[in-house]
Amino acid sequence: ANFPEDPFVLVVQNLSPMLANELLTTAAVAVITEQGSATSHSAIITKASGLPTVMGVVGALELESGQTLLIDATSGQVFVEPSEEDRAHYAEATEPSTRVLQVLPDLSDLPVALLANVGSSQEAGNVLRSGSRGIGLFRTELLYLGRTEPPTRAEQVFEYSKLFARMSGKRVVVRVLDLDSDKPLPFLSPAGTGRYANRGLQVLLANRQVLVDQLEALALAHSYYPEAKLWVMAPMVLNAEQAIEFARLARSVGLTRVGIMVEVPELCDAKVLKQILPEIDFVSIGTNDLTQYVLGKSRHDTDLGLSQARSPQVMSAIKTVVAACQKARKPVGICGEAASDPDSAKLFVKLGVESLSASPALIPQLAAELLDSGKVKRRWLPKA
Ligand code: PEP
Ligand code: MG
């Protein structure tokens, strides 16, 4: 698309992940969409780069060029021609959070590891500045999007190396390609039926060379930068057989920390987990997908808010997974967007998760809320 050179607010009906990515190199100062929700990949991409994004604004397309907007991406509100009062309120409200971002919190007192979600090696700087202990979810889809052929092994090694080089001593959890029915790729044959058709690991197992290339590229990049602590996981695992097949394949190329994402209700079952856990090293719970599938909704529904990850059915599924992992002494974390929602995060900490992974931009605030919630003492360090 052709974007203006002067700062602008993009107002669109739908934001595709491709467009979201393209926007990051433009003068856009905010994005408003009429459809979509906060857990869509597009919103995840723009928010990770600190671009204020408000999804699912009814009537957004009625907005006109030249109008003055006040955009509160935290609460998801857009004020059109804001009053003096609103302006003054926000001018005051934004000041303290600006100050919070200028100090790096000391997170060593937190009972969980705070990790960052990223979509490319370019975000390494944001991760380091956020004070997080590493990367809890590297979504690798951007490497594959918009292509007619998969990226070569060399291209992938280059991208992973750029990230690993900057993460010395830190955990880096990489998720292999998660094909989404939203973003079909011409070089992958479809797999599966029903509501999970064409998602996650089953597609990679049906396109095995693509998976093997990615795993080999990760192992090779890691051999150049072994100080980064590489963990590799599979998305949208549907059953024990798939999980075990993935773990064996990943280990056969030399990867040593291998895990799975739990994103479907079928895996939130003590018996299924008991089969899987001896074969893997860690579990990461994807609440974006798990919430939609447990509640029988679509994550694109504008009414599916982050707080729904706290609904009793979803919490009960998460509890089962955390308990099984604790029993098997395997670390379990949360990497969906709910991990950055302080009310949900506190519940997850109480359940005993080992890590929470969120957009780097949201980590200082999340840390502050968790530190304030009582049990741990607050210690701020000046930014290095
Ligand atoms: C999730 O589903 O919670 C998740 C982290 O994966 P994605 O948002 O990429 O589907
Ligand atoms: Mg997911």
Side-chain angles (χ1 to χ4, degrees):
N2 265 337
F3 294 109
E5 281 179 13
D6 291 330
F8 65 94
V9 174
L10 180 72
V11 182
V12 280
Q13 183 156 28
N14 274 308
L15 182 68
S16 69
M18 284 287 288
L19 182 60
N21 192 40
E22 213 180 313
L23 214 52
L24 303 184
T25 55
T26 71
V29 293
V31 194
I32 301 172
T33 73
E34 190 156 283
Q35 286 168 2
S37 76
T39 61
S40 70
H41 280 111
S42 314
I44 290 167
I45 291 169
T46 52
K47 287 196 281 187
S49 292
L51 185 63
T53 305
V54 185
M55 307 284 279
V57 176
V58 177
L61 295 180
E62 307 294 318
L63 289 170
E64 281 171 24
S65 192
Q67 284 180 315
T68 301
L69 303 178
L70 195 161
I71 299 168
D72 178 355
T74 308
S75 69
Q77 295 182 91
V78 176
F79 299 83
V80 184
E81 303 297 351
S83 64
E84 279 306 318
E85 205 183 320
D86 286 334
R87 287 181 195 225
H89 170 74
Y90 273 92
E92 229 171 69
T94 50
E95 227 215 311
S97 68
T98 315
R99 251 187 278 128
V100 168
L101 289 172
Q102 282 164 356
V103 288
L104 205 56
D106 174 10
L107 306 181
S108 53
D109 283 342
L110 279 179
V112 278
L114 287 194
L115 302 168
N117 290 356
V118 300
S120 79
S121 63
Q122 288 170 26
E123 290 173 69
N126 296 344
V127 174
L128 299 172
R129 280 188 293 275
S130 72
S132 65
R133 241 189 257 175
I135 293 170
L137 170 63
F138 174 20
R139 291 183 170 95
T140 55
E141 287 74 51
L142 281 182
L143 269 166
Y144 294 80
L145 279 178
R147 289 174 172 261
T148 49
E149 297 289 332
T152 63
R153 235 172 51 149
E155 272 176 276
Q156 293 187 57
V157 170
F158 185 54
E159 169 71 2
Y160 304 142
S161 297
K162 280 192 287 183
L163 188 67
F164 299 165
R166 300 192 63 187
M167 292 292 145
S168 199
K170 296 191 185 295
R171 189 188 309 179
V172 182
V173 183
V174 180
R175 178 179 78 185
V176 295
L177 174 64
D178 182 11
L179 179 71
D180 187 328
S181 34
D182 253 16
K183 28 178 177 147
L185 296 170
F187 48 85
L188 291 181
S189 8
T193 52
R195 62 181 181 161
Y196 305 135
N198 292 323
R199 291 236 32 209
L201 180 61
Q202 64 182 343
V203 182
L204 292 179
L205 291 173
N207 293 266
R208 195 169 282 257
Q209 197 54 50
V210 174
L211 175 59
V212 170
D213 281 349
Q214 187 172 21
L215 293 172
E216 286 181 350
L218 284 164
L220 189 55
H222 191 227
S223 73
Y224 301 147
Y225 296 97
E227 286 86 17
K229 297 173 187 158
L230 176 62
W231 300 26
V232 178
M233 65 183 181
M236 289 288 295
V237 176
L238 302 181
N239 53 48
E241 292 69 36
Q242 285 179 2
I244 293 166
E245 194 173 351
F246 174 75
R248 293 191 178 155
L249 200 55
R251 292 193 205 287
S252 76
V253 306
L255 296 167
T256 53
R257 296 290 254 159
V258 180
I260 60 157
M261 287 191 71
V262 170
E263 310 191 74
V264 300
E266 289 82 348
L267 282 203
C268 303
D269 176 304
K271 273 204 210 107
V272 176
L273 290 166
K274 204 172 160 197
Q275 277 180 277
I276 299 176
L277 284 164
E279 302 278 338
I280 61 170
D281 304 296
F282 70 98
V283 165
S284 187
I285 302 174
T287 46
N288 300 335
D289 280 311
L290 187 61
T291 305
Q292 67 160 340
Y293 290 126
V294 168
L295 300 180
K297 297 198 174 202
S298 152
R299 68 196 264 179
H300 301 295
D301 286 351
T302 1
D303 70 337
L304 192 69
L306 283 190
S307 64
Q308 263 146 311
R310 268 181 267 135
S311 66
Q313 301 102 296
V314 182
M315 280 309 282
S316 142
I318 294 175
K319 210 168 163 178
T320 304
V321 179
V322 174
C325 292
Q326 284 177 334
K327 197 166 162 205
R329 301 192 175 279
K330 301 284 159 94
V332 54
I334 309 268
C335 69
E337 305 313 294
S340 62
D341 166 39
D343 291 332
S344 306
K346 287 173 198 167
L347 291 178
F348 299 146
V349 171
K350 236 190 204 162
L351 282 184
V353 300
E354 185 264 344
S355 66
L356 292 172
S357 194
S359 165
L362 302 175
I363 288 176
Q365 190 60 39
L366 175 62
E369 297 250 8
L370 291 175
L371 288 165
D372 272 346
S373 72
K375 281 171 237 79
V376 283
K377 65 177 190 286
R378 173 200 279 272
R379 276 197 290 150
W380 296 104
L381 289 181
K383 200 171 177 179

